[in-house]
Amino acid sequence: MKVLKFGGSSLADADQFKKVKDIAFSSDDRQYVVVSAPGKGVRSNHKVTDLLLMCYQLASHDLNFNEVYEIIENTYCEIARDLKLETDVKSILKEIYKQIQNGATKDFTASRGEYLNAILLSDYLGWNFVDSKDIIFFKNGELDEEKTDISISKVLREKPYSVIPGFYGIDENGKIKTFSRGGSDITGSLVANALKADIYENWTDVSGFLVADPKIVENSKTIEYITYRELRELSYMGAPVLHEDSIVPVKKNGIPINIRNTNSPKDDGTTIISSYDSKKTSSKVTGIAGKHGFSVITIEKTFMNSEFGFFRKIMSVLETNEVPIEHMPSSIDTVSLIVETGKIVNKLDKIIEEIKIYTNPKSISVEHGISLIAIVGKGMVNSKGTSGKIFTALGNSDVNIRMISQGSSELNIIIGVQDKDFERSIRAIYNAFY
Ligand code: ASP
């Protein structure tokens, strides 16, 4: 049994609804569909959720929100008209309008995009509509996992072929509460986990994740399989992926997530799995991602590594100044702190002064304009020469490596380069492995 989630671009207009129907009806095991609100599409340049939030803002200042609401109305009315749906969408829209005008909460207002879209899709597919307020529960501001899990499985097991709105549930006071933006991914994951689906298909507008950013590497290959952990590393380094929290529920039961393209349904996409088995051997490098905007603070002091408490003192300075340390490579006489530049602006002089007072170093220097690149791949553990290959490729491309860090899990190798070398480095590493 498969649980499907369709993102906003997959449901932006009637033509997209048709593609969704073809996909949902293409095999009997596709039994549950979770939907986002209509996103940007051919006809509309706006995401319905953004428009709803604008309506909320205006209404909360007693301002007229008719103009914005009209765009929302048109989006849904056009879908209903083009697909010849029976749902009285105008009445539902009128009711929602009144609720916003009468002071509906922000979360309630934002959730209506998914609510209406699910009603329309269930009509179009001829499937059940199950409201998320009856199966997803929050308590003290957090998801009530146990109650949600039990409710989903109780309600939905009885109702195969259902459409469920993503993004929201209900709290202990009976009020609608949403997840953070992009949260329909989480709803899909919760449903897949509670029903112990064989696979969670997440349908979007790309055929999976690419090995490297296509703006940097032309015709980058698609990642066929990636583990949850590898994906975490890549998304931390800026690769655009799913909502972070959406991995958590399915991970519990090891349910694979298959990222697919509604506009190109034949593509296999990327499958996120818990671990590789012998059939799904990874290439040594699964993905490459990177970010700009780092600084390196280098502290030099002879034999610092044998001085008790030296690193602790440095770390406590950064802790009290609320600067997280991304990486901390060291040698006998120097240590480099890699930090986000944005986190040290306006504080740098103070930090340097404090490090000087606490550790009495020989010198401290700071270099800005550093980019970090993560080369991620579980397969690196068992293969010799991966780092050699990376450094040879960078050397041949005339890149000066400013920092190297490899965790003992060997899941990734992180290198620091100057901003100007960023794209060249990613291309060189990609070409070395693909
Ligand atoms: N519609 C919501 C948003 O735009 C949730 C989602 O699409 O996942 O954030």
Side-chain angles (χ1 to χ4, degrees), residues 10 51 118 132-133 155 162 166 186 190 195 202 212 237 299 315 332 339 342 345:
S10 301
L51 297 172
S132 297
K133 77 172 171 42
V155 175
S162 286
I186 307 175
L190 290 168
L195 297 176
N202 191 301
M237 286 305 273
I299 303 154
M315 283 160 129
I332 312 172
V339 295
V345 276

Side-chain angles (χ1 to χ4, degrees), residues 5 7-8 36-37 47 49-50 110 114 166-167 180-185:
K5 180 254 163 179
S36 278
K47 290 176 80 169
T49 311
D50 293 337
E114 272 66 16
F167 192 37
S180 56
R181 294 297 305 268
S184 298
D185 282 340

Side-chain angles (χ1 to χ4, degrees), residues 138-144 171-173 177:
F138 290 88
K139 202 167 141 192
N140 303 326
E142 303 278 328
L143 177 76
D144 184 340
D171 70 11
E172 65 271 49
N173 304 315
K177 179 166 168 51

Side-chain angles (χ1 to χ4, degrees), residues 44-335:
S44 167
N45 239 337
H46 308 283
K47 290 176 80 169
V48 162
T49 311
D50 293 337
L51 297 172
L52 284 165
L53 286 167
M54 278 168 77
C55 291
Y56 168 79
Q57 278 296 337
L58 291 165
S60 64
H61 290 94
D62 280 331
L63 295 169
N64 182 307
F65 59 92
N66 291 359
E67 212 178 307
V68 184
Y69 200 73
E70 221 168 83
I71 312 176
I72 301 171
E73 278 178 327
N74 288 343
T75 306
Y76 289 108
C77 288
E78 271 178 27
I79 293 172
R81 188 198 58 215
D82 293 354
L83 300 175
K84 302 188 176 57
L85 301 181
E86 277 169 12
T87 303
D88 184 0
V89 67
K90 284 200 178 127
S91 303
I92 307 175
L93 280 159
K94 221 177 244 165
E95 182 56 33
I96 295 172
Y97 179 90
K98 266 195 246 154
Q99 287 166 307
I100 301 174
Q101 203 173 31
N102 294 335
T105 63
K106 184 177 174 190
D107 281 18
F108 176 86
T109 308
S111 73
R112 295 304 87 183
E114 272 66 16
Y115 170 77
L116 252 168
N117 228 16
I119 291 181
L120 293 187
L121 186 67
S122 68
D123 180 351
Y124 185 48
L125 300 182
W127 287 16
N128 307 299
F129 165 76
V130 175
D131 196 339
S132 297
K133 77 172 171 42
D134 300 324
I135 50 173
I136 303 223
F137 297 92
F138 290 88
K139 202 167 141 192
N140 303 326
E142 303 278 328
L143 177 76
D144 184 340
E145 286 177 45
E146 209 183 314
K147 190 168 175 192
T148 297
D149 203 60
I150 294 169
S151 308
I152 292 176
S153 93
K154 208 164 117 201
V155 175
L156 290 183
R157 271 196 200 291
E158 310 265 286
K159 286 191 171 174
Y161 305 105
S162 286
V163 180
I164 304 118
F167 192 37
Y168 71 92
I170 201 163
D171 70 11
E172 65 271 49
N173 304 315
K175 291 237 174 337
I176 293 289
K177 179 166 168 51
T178 59
F179 292 109
S180 56
R181 294 297 305 268
S184 298
D185 282 340
I186 307 175
T187 312
S189 185
L190 290 168
V191 171
N193 178 56
L195 297 176
K196 307 220 164 33
D198 295 304
I199 195 155
Y200 168 29
E201 289 183 344
N202 191 301
W203 291 83
T204 169
D205 54 2
V206 289
S207 297
F209 306 134
L210 298 176
V211 173
D213 183 345
K215 284 188 238 92
I216 300 173
V217 175
E218 243 179 83
N219 300 322
S220 164
K221 284 211 163 66
T222 301
I223 300 174
E224 209 179 330
Y225 290 100
I226 185 167
T227 63
Y228 304 129
R229 278 189 63 197
E230 287 174 328
L231 187 70
R232 239 180 91 68
E233 301 279 346
L234 282 178
S235 62
Y236 183 68
M237 286 305 273
V241 289
L242 294 168
H243 191 300
E244 254 216 67
D245 296 342
S246 68
I247 310 277
V248 180
V250 279
K251 207 172 156 187
K252 279 189 204 149
N253 282 313
I255 297 168
I257 309 174
N258 187 198
I259 311 290
R260 304 282 293 262
N261 188 349
T262 304
N263 305 316
S264 187
K266 290 216 166 71
D267 295 351
D268 292 330
T270 298
T271 305
I272 310 163
I273 48 180
S274 50
S275 62
Y276 290 108
D277 60 30
S278 51
K279 273 179 268 150
K280 296 167 191 150
T281 44
S282 70
S283 145
K284 278 174 215 155
V285 168
T286 309
I288 308 158
K291 286 206 272 202
H292 296 298
F294 293 92
S295 299
V296 186
I297 305 173
T298 304
I299 303 154
E300 192 181 342
K301 186 174 188 188
T302 312
F303 292 125
M304 64 162 58
N305 68 341
S306 53
E307 184 180 320
F308 285 116
F310 186 85
F311 293 121
R312 180 180 49 75
K313 286 178 199 159
I314 295 174
M315 283 160 129
S316 71
V317 169
L318 282 121
E319 185 183 345
T320 49
N321 283 285
E322 296 180 352
V323 177
I325 304 171
E326 299 284 330
H327 299 281
M328 203 170 107
S330 67
S331 67
I332 312 172
D333 298 328
T334 63
V335 59

Side-chain angles (χ1 to χ4, degrees), residues 2-62:
K2 295 175 178 172
V3 170
L4 286 66
K5 180 254 163 179
F6 288 92
S9 61
S10 301
L11 291 159
D13 54 38
D15 286 340
Q16 293 302 88
F17 267 64
K18 286 178 190 162
K19 293 179 192 168
V20 167
K21 186 177 192 170
D22 287 343
I23 293 165
F25 282 15
S26 63
S27 90
D28 287 346
D29 52 9
R30 294 193 163 125
Q31 296 181 0
Y32 300 92
V33 167
V34 173
V35 301
S36 278
K40 289 184 194 168
V42 187
R43 292 195 207 168
S44 167
N45 239 337
H46 308 283
K47 290 176 80 169
V48 162
T49 311
D50 293 337
L51 297 172
L52 284 165
L53 286 167
M54 278 168 77
C55 291
Y56 168 79
Q57 278 296 337
L58 291 165
S60 64
H61 290 94
D62 280 331

